[in-house]
Amino acid sequence: ATTSKAKADTGTRGDASGGGGGGKGGGAAAGFVGSNNRYGILLMDELLESEWLYCLKEGRKWSLKRPKFYWTGKMRPHRVSPMLEVPQHIKRPDYSEDGFPESEVEADENTKPGQVPVKTKEEIEGMREACKVGRKVLDTATRMVRVGVTTDEIDRVVHETCVELGAYPSPLNYYNFPKSVCASVNEVVCHGIPDRRELEDGDIVNLDVTCYYNGFHGDLNETHCVGKVHEKHKNLIKTTYECLEKAIAIVRPGVKFRELGTPITRHAHANGFSVVKDYCGHGIGDLFHCAPTIPHYERNKAKGVMEAGMTFTIEPMINEGSHHCVTWPDGWTAVTRDGRRSAQFENTLLVTETGCEILTARTPTSTPLWWEKD
């Protein structure tokens, strides 16, 4: 375990292995004194503030100041709280300590194009259990979506719920990602870092949850409305959900992975929206990300054909305007280049002999989507 060190402009933070996180003071105070106060006097409110920092360079650097950037929309990064700890008794992926998923990088399916693993019966059952946990966690998180709640508060609930269920929150420390859930608001396409910004009336927010449970990952996400949302943005959300459903409907043995982009693209375009090309769905199992790659746009060059026993995600990101994205200085947050809004939905799927099983399917107790409320 490491202790949290928060230095002005170039600080680093601890891992998720327990015993980290740091207290008020320590490295934070050392970096803060002198850089902000000519007399070296650290006031209590400044000391408390120094624990909340701006994320830079994929979590490898931290700053007390918001970086300068050509922001494409109204969203701005806010300060991020220290990384939360996971108890030692919970089974964790290899990257939990140093942020590097070595097993994922070296896996055969990620080094040999077109090679997609077929799960055994035992592995499929492990996937089912992990996905059930993921669904419980996401449903708990989406019930918190309302005006005035911060995404940091949602992250803490996701983290605590994972721990209560005996799971490790897969995003935590994956390539140094500092939080347990991705929270993407308005023009944020994906990989938004939870922070102290309060959700506002009219926002839309996507919560992307992945749980590592007994050696397997279960991955899913949903986009929900905050308060009263404009009709055009509600239509964006519903269209995105329908894009996912249309892609799932063609999943069966013998279908090429590249074909999934066709129904998504055609439905998005028919409703006046665009499909993000920069980010894809992926294989999943004992590895967080592996083959196959699942592009969501038409006329892609993805390799591979579906077989019974394969597991992967479909997670279309649909934009209100241009499909182009840019990345914030934190190295994670992808936003629309034109500042207009984006929505996303995701499920983890198992190919069966006759079609597919949605491993992360919604349940009767799942948080209603906006059209289910009306």
Side-chain angles (χ1 to χ4, degrees), residues 311-364:
T311 55
F312 55 89
T313 72
I314 304 177
E315 46 187 302
M317 289 142 276
I318 307 300
N319 289 355
E320 181 184 8
S322 166
H323 72 269
H324 294 289
C325 304
V326 296
T327 305
W328 279 359
D330 61 32
W332 279 106
T333 305
V335 297
T336 59
R337 193 168 72 181
D338 58 11
R340 300 179 73 184
R341 294 193 178 188
S342 182
Q344 183 185 18
F345 283 88
E346 174 186 22
N347 274 314
T348 296
L349 309 172
L350 165 69
V351 182
T352 65
E353 295 294 342
T354 58
C356 74
E357 177 183 344
I358 304 174
L359 299 178
T360 50
R362 290 172 57 80
T363 72

Side-chain angles (χ1 to χ4, degrees), residues 20-60:
K24 296 177 176 60
F32 199 86
V33 172
S35 62
N36 191 64
N37 189 313
R38 61 180 295 190
Y39 301 109
I41 300 172
L42 191 66
L43 302 178
M44 183 54 68
D45 59 345
E46 295 174 328
L47 182 58
L48 293 172
E49 282 289 296
S50 69
E51 285 200 322
W52 292 71
L53 301 170
Y54 291 102
C55 179
L56 302 172
K57 298 185 180 297
E58 295 182 335
R60 296 190 301 274

Side-chain angles (χ1 to χ4, degrees), residues 6-21:
K7 297 181 180 179
D9 296 324
T10 59
T12 59
R13 290 196 167 187
D15 61 30
S17 57

Side-chain angles (χ1 to χ4, degrees), residues 62-185:
W62 295 85
S63 175
L64 286 164
K65 297 180 180 180
R66 177 183 290 162
K68 294 181 179 180
F69 187 69
Y70 181 77
W71 312 106
T72 64
K74 294 182 179 180
M75 292 294 295
R76 299 290 186 273
H78 289 251
R79 292 188 180 189
V80 176
S81 62
M83 186 180 288
L84 298 174
E85 301 171 9
V86 177
Q88 288 289 349
H89 72 272
I90 290 179
K91 187 170 184 177
R92 63 198 61 222
D94 60 351
Y95 55 80
S96 67
E97 297 286 342
D98 61 6
F100 182 69
E102 183 175 0
S103 59
E104 186 175 297
V105 172
E106 296 181 351
D108 285 346
E109 58 261 42
N110 287 341
T111 58
K112 300 177 181 178
Q115 180 171 319
V116 180
V118 174
K119 303 290 189 295
T120 65
K121 290 183 179 180
E122 292 75 18
E123 289 172 331
I124 290 172
E125 189 54 38
M127 286 292 297
R128 285 196 179 102
E129 292 303 312
C131 288
K132 288 178 183 177
V133 171
R135 169 50 66 183
K136 290 178 181 178
V137 174
L138 180 62
D139 288 348
T140 300
T142 53
R143 282 193 283 271
M144 289 190 65
V145 173
R146 59 184 178 275
V147 175
V149 172
T150 68
T151 50
D152 182 80
E153 291 175 281
I154 294 174
D155 175 77
R156 182 173 290 276
V157 168
V158 166
H159 186 93
E160 292 174 351
T161 305
C162 283
V163 170
E164 288 172 6
L165 295 173
Y168 181 95
S170 302
L172 189 65
N173 212 32
Y174 180 77
Y175 285 110
N176 303 302
F177 190 81
K179 290 297 176 181
S180 298
V181 65
C182 295
S184 303
V185 182

Side-chain angles (χ1 to χ4, degrees), residues 298-315:
E298 200 169 17
R299 293 188 294 275
N300 65 78
K301 298 181 180 180
K303 298 181 181 297
V305 177
M306 298 177 198
E307 296 179 32
M310 292 179 175
T311 55
F312 55 89
T313 72
I314 304 177
E315 46 187 302

